[in-house]
Amino acid sequence: MKPLLGISLKVLSALIFTMMSATLKTLTDRYPTGEVVFFRSAFAILPLLAWLAWRGDLIGGLRTQNVLGHFKRGFLGTVSMALSFAALSYLPLHEAIAIGYASPLILVILAALLLKERVRAYRWTAVALGFVGVMIMLLPYLTPQTFSGGMMAGPALGAACALVAAVLSAGAMIQVRRLTGTEKTGAIVFYFFILAAGLSFCTIVLGWNMPDASDLGFFILAGILGGIGQILLTESYRYADASVIAPFEYTSMIWALLLGWFMFADLPTPTIIVGASIVSATGLFIVWRERQLGLERTQELKVASQRPGA
């Protein structure tokens, strides 16, 4: 285990994913969401295949025993991705990312309901407080003035897209947990990109815009960044425990604020700062609590193994 290397890879992956989102934000208001999802997914396959080939696991890493499971994960993940990209066209970068922080909180609920994981009072309390933070971030979009144009009013629609994307992302992560029992990481990521590219390509019948050379370059860049970010994220968990790595997901807010200010002149509102801080704090508490429980279980097993006759 090399925790400093793992943390560094996680922070770098958060930066690259944020750069990908910022790149796509320059395109989402000019191209259909399905087209954006297609290019992002299709070009992400290139660095993934190069990484698997470098590891000498190009064939074995893509074998699968659960095609239906991959399809479920791919469908949920693709719709989530589409909605998150749609949110980028209506919201500042940092707001879209901050609302997405609701996903780990929703994941706790789904894990209890679908995977029958035991969730203690501490985590339920943290989840409840986290949703208070989410509601604070959504407050500016819940006023009568905002909805005067109906649900198609830009900011309200963007906030709704970001929130539903967070729910579907949590559902996709539940499916990933199920897949990890039989599937390799390379296969899980590869088939997701393949399915996302295939499903989004079907939207071509709704009308796509032919990108010029400059925009095509941005699409390719966003896809490659997404693939590299996924590789770095995967590798980060090789060198450190998940409980050590997970808190550094929230560094994406730092990058989102910097890139949003530099590229789009967007500055956070007080409600976003307060809400994102609450959600981040509850997420960090959940990670810390799980780490403490893990240490306690390890100690109990160690004591039990030292008993006579064990």
Side-chain angles (χ1 to χ4, degrees):
M1 300 295 286
K2 301 177 182 178
L4 288 179
L5 177 58
I7 290 169
S8 299
L9 292 172
K10 174 65 173 180
V11 172
L12 187 56
S13 74
L15 170 60
I16 289 179
F17 277 130
T18 308
M19 291 171 61
M20 178 203 73
S21 297
T23 301
L24 291 175
K25 184 171 173 58
T26 65
L27 302 166
T28 50
D29 59 345
R30 302 197 306 277
Y31 294 92
T33 301
E35 185 175 358
V36 176
V37 173
F38 171 78
F39 282 113
R40 182 262 187 261
S41 303
F43 287 107
I45 296 173
L46 300 179
L48 175 64
L49 292 178
W51 175 62
L52 289 174
W54 176 73
R55 292 182 58 197
D57 199 24
L58 183 58
I59 303 301
L62 299 182
R63 290 196 180 98
T64 178
Q65 304 177 38
N66 191 350
V67 175
L68 180 60
H70 284 294
F71 181 81
K72 291 178 181 178
R73 193 269 199 214
F75 180 79
L76 290 171
T78 301
V79 178
S80 174
M81 189 192 305
L83 289 172
S84 64
F85 291 167
L88 286 173
S89 64
Y90 296 111
L91 298 175
L93 179 63
H94 60 268
E95 292 190 17
I97 289 177
I99 295 174
Y101 284 164
S103 186
L105 305 177
I106 299 167
L107 180 60
V108 172
I109 298 173
L110 293 181
L113 295 176
L114 301 178
L115 300 181
K116 307 303 180 184
E117 290 186 5
R118 183 182 179 186
V119 179
R120 295 174 172 81
Y122 286 104
R123 271 202 289 174
W124 284 125
T125 303
V127 168
L129 290 174
F131 278 113
V132 170
V134 173
M135 291 306 299
I136 290 174
M137 288 189 286
L138 293 177
L139 277 178
Y141 309 110
L142 300 178
T143 62
Q145 293 81 3
T146 302
F147 288 97
S148 59
M151 265 309 296
M152 296 308 293
L157 180 60
C161 286
L163 188 57
V164 176
V167 175
L168 294 177
S169 176
M173 288 302 101
I174 290 292
Q175 189 59 32
V176 168
R177 286 191 182 183
R178 290 170 170 167
L179 286 171
T180 53
T182 60
E183 307 296 296
K184 292 185 176 181
T185 299
I188 294 172
V189 177
F190 175 76
Y191 291 113
F192 168 63
F193 286 153
I194 288 291
L195 282 165
L199 291 172
S200 59
F201 184 75
C202 295
T203 65
I204 194 172
V205 299
L206 303 177
W208 281 14
N209 300 329
M210 182 62 68
D212 57 27
S214 175
D215 286 350
L216 180 60
F218 281 120
F219 275 127
I220 295 173
L221 174 62
I224 291 175
L225 285 174
I228 293 174
Q230 189 66 56
I231 292 169
L232 293 174
L233 177 64
T234 302
E235 285 294 281
S236 70
Y237 287 95
R238 291 183 182 275
Y239 297 106
D241 293 334
S243 58
V244 174
I245 294 293
F248 293 90
E249 172 66 26
Y250 295 103
T251 59
S252 60
M253 179 53 67
I254 299 173
W255 311 129
L257 290 172
L258 291 174
L259 289 173
W261 170 73
F262 180 74
M263 296 178 64
F264 309 106
D266 290 330
L267 293 175
T269 61
T271 53
I272 288 295
I273 293 175
V274 173
S277 298
I278 293 174
V279 174
S280 300
T282 55
L284 290 171
F285 175 79
I286 289 173
V287 172
W288 173 83
R289 181 61 182 170
E290 285 305 296
R291 179 170 176 77
Q292 293 301 114
L293 291 173
L295 292 174
E296 291 175 7
R297 286 191 291 268
T298 300
Q299 185 62 31
E300 290 173 359
L301 289 173
K302 184 178 179 180
V303 171
S305 66
Q306 294 175 345
R307 291 173 183 168

